[in-house]
């Protein structure tokens, strides 16, 4: 039995690449070697033991907030920022190392996902109760998952069909009228076969206009999603498969457009349909050298039909991905991994009832990589990788990456990384929320492939204080662009200009963090991060607009007694930044201030646990801060001054919520 458990664990590792979820491996170990039980107190967010600078956000950490979807799962995370992209569509975007989420490679089950057309609303496409864990990797990543990662990776692991049998449900209601329900269960069909089904539905059909500008503060939304998963766990062969479907409808704009007195209202109507499927296959060849081969196949179809006022926008994206990997240990200290990959993207777009041929892309990119890892006990690990890819649009390019991890003792761990990343920019699909403005859209011909170097170093100190340890960490990352798609909002305040970089563009990010568990019941984390992001706009090097210069985060978690209660609180201090170049209104006044000020946000939640269920209640943005008049020119949405994209802060005041979680270990 132990031999079988060892083989299955290695096969699971073969299915994954850099940053694999430790929860996945632990699940398999528990399933196969169930006579061994190990328990320990662990924080919900921990630094993973991988060679890269990776944070593991476990299911325990996700319970500290409502976490209705992926975008709301980083409330207690100091590294990832999630902000609204505009005030009309509800689109959200993440930022990592001071740069937008398009430079973060999104993965699900270590498979590249949510690219191009899916980017504006992808953070709402993954329900929180579906997630088993999230891994946030900063800087250059392994070459296994491709060439696209520039500032890092975010990988989501879903609940597994082969895990301990479960059935759970989650119901959520907030003060804005949003209602959400989630169901999940797995079933062991036989000793080898297991299956899982995950369902999600949410609805927000109430209209809110807190600032009285006649525009809805948030769009009315309906979303339904269903995922079916299957797994075969053999002695030497593992098979996993998944099929997912999602449909979402958003309706926003002027709230008075249902009134008979309204004339020619500005309406935003967006419908997204998305279908995904993948299979993972792994075969263990040689137990002594941990030699295994894995094949991953995935595909997605995404259709969007949208109207932004008088601007219709339709788009279809089809993606196919394949990866064949071979990995083996060579002796005690050496590991080698090599593989082939193939990625195909088709993107067709139509706007103003005229098909724009320059935005209809067909890109096929085959690639090959090799990676070598040297490990000297637990003290030193060095990993170097190189991959070659060929795009039918941009030609051939090479991606080098290297990582180092040094742990001379149990107190100090030092990591360093350097690597290059590339990215194909789908300017309109990834930024279609910019259509919700009166700005003209200008796109240069011959847009280049984005290319950047990323350099990073981090250190972690585990300092014994009394019977506990304080964990101190410090890190610095520098991203330097050689080629970049620049979204220029400065050169013309009445236009969005997508252009190639001509000059410098870079990001410096510094972060320090301290975590201490005063006793097993109470943990406190304090973080401070500072960013310096600049880019060349119209020949001038300027601070990147709508970007906070600093962020402070203080989180506390208290679980007294027998763990029946849990109290969580998070305080954010967000620094100010620069606004895009203003224009002069008809009254002779600037359209907005040249800079925005800092602001604070406070979130809190209380959870009461019972044997098979728990109830939670909380509040977001208790301080009530929100950006005043976020929509420019709301009184004339058909004019050139109208703009809903000048967003730097919260759009809503305090939001209160209550929910219930049901969980049965077996069905």
């Amino acid at each position: 039995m132990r031999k079988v458990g060892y083989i299955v664990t290695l096969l699971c590792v073969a299915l994954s690449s850099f940053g694999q979820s430790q929860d996945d491996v632990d699940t398999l170990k528990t399933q196969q070697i169930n006579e061994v039980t190990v328990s320990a107190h662990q924080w919900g967010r921990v630094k993973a033991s991988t060679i890269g600078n990776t944070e593991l956000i476990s299911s325990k950490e996700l319970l500290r907030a409502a976490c209705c979807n992926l975008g709301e799962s980083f409330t207690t995370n100091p590294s990832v920022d999630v902000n609204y992209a505009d005030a009309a569509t509800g689109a959200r975007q993440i930022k990592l190392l001071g740069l937008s989420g398009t430079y973060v490679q999104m993965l699900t089950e270590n498979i590249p996902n949510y690219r191009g057309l899916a980017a504006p609303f992808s953070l709402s496409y993954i329900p929180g109760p579906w997630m088993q864990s999230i891994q946030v990797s900063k800087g250059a990543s392994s070459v296994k998952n491709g060439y696209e990662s520039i500032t890092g990776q975010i990988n989501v692991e879903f609940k597994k069909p082969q895990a301990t049998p479960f059935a759970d449900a989650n119901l959520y209601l907030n003060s804005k009228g949003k209602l959400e329900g989630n169901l999940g269960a797995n079933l062991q069909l036989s000793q080898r076969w297991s299956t899982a089904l995950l369902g999600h539905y949410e609805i927000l059909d109430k209209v809110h206009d807190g600032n009285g500008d006649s525009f809805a503060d948030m769009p009315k939304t309906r979303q339904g999603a269903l995922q079916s998963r299957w797994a075969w766990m053999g002695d030497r062969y593992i098979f996993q498969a998944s099929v997912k479907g999602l449909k979402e409808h958003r309706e926003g704009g002027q709230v008075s457009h249902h009134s008979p007195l309204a004339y020619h209202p500005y309406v935003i109507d967006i419908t997204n349909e998305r279908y995904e499927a993948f299979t993972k296959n792994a075969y263990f060849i040689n137990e002594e050298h941990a030699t295994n081969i894995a094949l991953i196949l995935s595909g997605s179809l995404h259709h969007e039909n949208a109207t932004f006022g008088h601007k219709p926008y339709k788009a279809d994206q089809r993606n196919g991905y394949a990866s064949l990997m071979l990995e083996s240990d060579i002796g005690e200290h050496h590991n080698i991994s090599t593989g082939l990959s193939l990625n195909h993207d088709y993107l067709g777009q139509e706007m103003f009832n005229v098909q724009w041929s320059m935005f209809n892309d067909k890109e096929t990119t085959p690639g090959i990589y090799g990676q070598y890892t040297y490990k000297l006990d637990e003290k030193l690990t060095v990993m170097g990788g190189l991959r070659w890819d060929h795009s039918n649009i941009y030609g051939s390019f090479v991606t080098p990456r290297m990582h180092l991890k040094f742990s001379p003792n149990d107190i100090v761990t030092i990591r360093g990384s350097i690597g290059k990343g590339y990215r194909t920019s789908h300017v309109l699909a990834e930024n279609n929320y910019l259509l919700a403005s009166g700005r003209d859209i200008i796109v240069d011909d011959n847009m280049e492939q984005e290319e950047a170097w990323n350099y990073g170093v981090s250190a972690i100190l585990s300092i014994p204080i009394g019977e506990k340890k304080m964990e101190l960490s410090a890190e610095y990352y520098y991203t330097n662009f050689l080629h970049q798609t620049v979204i220029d909002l400065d050169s013309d305040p009445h236009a969005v200009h997508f252009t190639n970089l001509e000059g410098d563009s870079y990001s410096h990010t510094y972060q320090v963090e301290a975590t201490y568990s005063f006793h097993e019941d109470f943990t406190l984390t304090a973080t401070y991060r500072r960013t310096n992001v600049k880019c060349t706009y119209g020949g001038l090097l300027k601070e990147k607009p709508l970007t906070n210069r600093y962020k402070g985060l203080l989180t506390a978690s208290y679980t007294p007694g027998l763990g029946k209660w849990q109290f969580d609180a998070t305080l954010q201090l967000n620094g100010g930044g620069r606004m895009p170049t203003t224009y002069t209104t008809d009254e002779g006044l600037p359209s907005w201030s040249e800079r925005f000020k800092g602001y604070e946000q406070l979130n809190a939640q209380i959870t009461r646990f019972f044997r098979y269920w728990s109830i939670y209640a909380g509040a977001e943005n208790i301080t009530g801060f929100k950006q005043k008049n976020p929509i420019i020119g709301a009184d004339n949405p058909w004019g050139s001054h109208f703009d809903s994209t000048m967003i730097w802060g919260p759009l809503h005041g305090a939001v209160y919520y209550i929910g219930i979680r049901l969980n049965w270990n077996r069905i």
Side-chain angles (χ1 to χ4, degrees):
M1 177 65 73
R2 294 179 182 273
K3 180 178 179 181
V4 171
Y6 175 72
I7 293 175
V8 170
T9 300
L10 290 176
L11 283 171
C12 182
V13 173
L15 281 170
S16 306
S17 44
F18 186 72
Q20 167 65 27
S21 166
Q22 187 61 40
D23 289 353
D24 202 4
V25 178
D26 291 344
T27 297
L28 288 173
K29 289 180 179 179
T30 302
Q31 182 181 13
Q32 298 296 329
I33 315 177
N34 52 22
E35 68 270 20
V36 178
T37 302
V38 179
S39 61
H41 175 72
Q42 178 175 293
W43 297 324
R45 184 177 65 87
V46 298
K47 298 287 186 180
S49 59
T50 57
I51 186 173
N53 186 8
T54 301
E55 295 179 1
L56 174 64
I57 304 174
S58 67
S59 56
K60 178 180 178 180
E61 179 75 5
L62 294 174
L63 295 180
R64 295 182 58 188
C67 292
C68 294
N69 53 50
L70 178 62
E72 299 176 4
S73 300
F74 300 106
T75 303
T76 61
N77 189 283
S79 301
V80 180
D81 296 325
V82 179
N83 301 305
Y84 281 99
D86 70 281
T89 68
R92 291 189 175 189
Q93 60 180 352
I94 63 172
K95 288 185 179 179
L96 183 64
L97 304 186
L99 295 170
S100 67
T102 54
Y103 300 113
V104 181
Q105 187 178 30
M106 297 296 297
L107 307 170
T108 54
E109 305 275 336
N110 279 294
I111 301 173
N113 205 349
Y114 299 120
R115 306 159 64 252
L117 188 59
F121 302 105
S122 61
L123 297 180
S124 67
Y125 292 164
I126 302 179
W130 288 17
M131 296 186 292
Q132 176 177 289
S133 64
I134 306 172
Q135 295 87 49
V136 179
S137 302
K138 300 180 185 178
S141 59
S142 166
V143 296
K144 290 182 179 181
N145 289 326
Y147 53 85
E148 290 185 314
S149 171
I150 291 179
T151 59
Q153 289 180 340
I154 293 179
N155 177 54
V156 177
E157 293 287 336
F158 295 106
K159 294 178 178 178
K160 312 298 183 189
Q162 70 272 21
T164 302
F166 73 89
D168 58 28
N170 182 293
L171 297 175
Y172 166 93
L173 176 66
N174 70 20
S175 57
K176 299 296 183 180
K178 180 182 179 181
L179 178 64
E180 179 179 317
N182 295 275
L183 295 172
N186 72 345
L187 183 64
Q188 309 298 315
L189 301 176
S190 68
Q191 183 180 0
R192 304 294 189 187
W193 277 107
S194 57
T195 183
L197 187 66
L198 302 172
H200 167 82
Y201 183 77
E202 66 179 71
I203 180 173
L204 173 61
D205 58 0
K206 293 185 178 181
V207 174
H208 300 273
D209 181 18
N211 57 8
D213 63 358
S214 82
F215 273 78
D217 295 336
M218 60 185 73
K220 295 194 294 184
T221 306
R222 289 177 182 264
Q223 184 193 102
L226 192 66
Q227 184 180 40
S228 176
R229 302 197 54 173
W230 298 80
W232 165 273
M233 311 301 292
D235 293 342
R236 288 186 174 270
Y237 172 69
I238 286 181
F239 167 81
Q240 295 190 53
S242 171
V243 178
K244 177 186 175 184
L246 177 144
K247 184 173 183 179
E248 180 186 72
H249 179 246
R250 294 170 178 256
E251 182 182 350
Q254 288 183 295
V255 298
S256 61
H257 69 268
H258 292 297
S259 170
L261 299 178
Y263 175 73
H264 199 36
Y266 189 96
V267 177
I268 293 177
D269 191 275
I270 305 172
T271 299
N272 281 285
E273 293 185 46
R274 183 174 178 85
Y275 305 94
E276 306 171 17
F278 74 78
T279 67
K280 289 183 175 183
N281 306 266
Y283 184 75
F284 187 80
I285 300 173
N286 183 289
E287 177 183 349
E288 182 179 356
H289 295 284
T291 304
N292 49 74
I293 187 170
L295 173 66
I296 297 176
L297 302 172
S298 71
S300 64
L301 302 173
H302 193 118
H303 174 71
E304 181 171 315
N305 188 356
T307 301
F308 301 87
H310 61 271
K311 303 174 185 177
Y313 175 76
K314 295 182 180 180
D316 286 282
Q317 183 170 6
R318 298 192 290 268
N319 172 262
Y321 173 80
S323 177
L324 179 65
M325 300 177 287
L326 175 65
E327 187 166 348
S328 180
D329 290 338
I330 304 175
E332 182 180 357
H333 304 293
H334 311 276
N335 174 274
I336 189 169
S337 175
T338 186
L340 304 170
S341 66
L342 178 67
N343 187 78
H344 173 75
D345 275 311
Y346 166 79
L347 179 61
Q349 301 175 89
E350 184 178 334
M351 183 177 173
F352 297 119
N353 298 319
V354 177
Q355 191 168 350
W356 291 10
S357 59
M358 66 180 297
F359 297 122
N360 295 336
D361 301 327
K362 290 183 180 180
E363 184 179 20
T364 302
T365 310
I368 184 172
Y369 76 86
Q371 183 170 277
Y372 167 75
T373 304
Y374 173 79
K375 187 174 183 179
L376 180 62
D377 300 325
E378 298 296 328
K379 293 186 176 182
L380 177 66
T381 305
V382 180
M383 183 177 74
L386 186 70
R387 67 175 296 129
W388 173 91
D389 295 271
H390 178 82
S391 165
N392 65 301
I393 299 177
Y394 301 106
S396 300
F397 49 95
V398 176
T399 307
R401 291 175 183 174
M402 178 169 287
H403 294 77
L404 180 144
K405 176 187 174 185
F406 180 54
S407 303
N409 49 51
D410 295 336
I411 297 177
V412 180
T413 299
I414 300 173
R415 290 179 171 90
S417 65
I418 179 174
K420 181 180 278 192
Y422 299 84
R423 204 182 75 86
T424 297
S425 179
H426 303 288
V427 293
L428 200 59
E430 295 169 346
N431 304 280
N432 57 45
Y433 59 87
L434 292 172
L435 296 174
S437 75
R439 290 176 178 258
D440 295 329
I441 305 295
I442 303 173
V443 182
D444 287 353
D445 295 331
N446 302 317
M447 297 299 295
E448 299 173 341
Q449 185 183 38
E450 297 190 273
E451 178 183 358
W453 282 96
N454 183 280
Y455 312 84
V457 61
S458 64
I460 299 177
L461 300 177
S462 297
I463 304 175
I465 299 179
E467 298 181 354
K468 304 293 180 181
K469 288 186 177 181
M470 173 179 286
E471 186 173 278
L472 299 177
S473 66
E475 60 189 46
Y476 164 72
Y477 283 91
Y478 171 55
T479 306
N480 182 40
F481 283 91
L482 306 180
H483 300 283
Q484 186 181 20
T485 297
V486 177
I487 304 177
D488 187 355
L489 300 172
D490 285 278
S491 298
D492 184 349
H494 296 297
V496 180
H497 188 188
F498 295 93
T499 182
N500 291 313
L501 175 67
E502 294 183 2
D504 296 328
S505 180
Y506 57 80
S507 168
H508 295 276
T509 304
Y510 312 82
Q511 181 170 308
V512 292
E513 180 178 330
T515 300
Y516 185 69
S517 184
F518 290 89
H519 48 79
E520 292 187 357
D521 299 336
F522 181 64
T523 302
L524 188 67
T525 299
T527 308
Y528 178 78
R529 185 186 74 237
R530 192 165 189 86
T531 59
N532 178 19
V533 187
K534 290 188 176 182
C535 184
T536 302
Y537 303 99
L540 299 175
L541 184 64
K542 299 181 180 181
E543 181 183 344
K544 189 176 179 64
L546 305 175
T547 301
N548 302 97
R549 289 298 304 271
Y550 68 84
K551 179 178 180 178
L553 191 73
L554 185 66
T555 68
S557 183
Y558 178 51
T559 309
L562 300 177
K564 293 183 178 181
W565 290 89
Q566 181 170 326
F567 303 87
D568 295 284
T570 301
L571 175 64
Q572 293 185 28
L573 302 176
N574 300 278
R578 185 180 75 88
M579 295 290 290
T581 301
T582 64
Y583 63 85
T584 302
T585 65
D586 297 336
E587 292 77 18
L589 301 174
S591 49
W592 51 75
S593 301
E594 293 183 358
R595 301 191 67 84
F596 62 90
K597 298 181 179 180
Y599 60 93
E600 64 286 333
Q601 287 181 283
L602 176 64
N603 303 330
Q605 179 178 282
I606 301 174
T607 306
R608 174 64 165 95
F609 295 96
F610 300 90
R611 183 175 183 182
Y612 294 116
W613 62 286
S614 61
I615 186 170
Y616 60 96
E620 300 171 352
N621 195 16
I622 299 175
T623 49
F625 180 87
K626 59 182 178 179
Q627 184 177 342
K628 295 182 180 179
N629 304 318
I631 298 181
I632 309 300
D635 57 336
N636 182 21
W638 305 106
S640 61
H641 293 344
F642 174 70
D643 198 335
S644 66
T645 64
M646 297 293 101
I647 304 304
W648 49 264
L651 300 178
H652 322 296
V655 177
Y656 304 94
Y657 62 85
I658 188 171
I660 184 172
R661 301 183 180 103
L662 307 176
N663 194 328
W664 297 271
N665 293 329
R666 294 184 179 276
I667 58 174

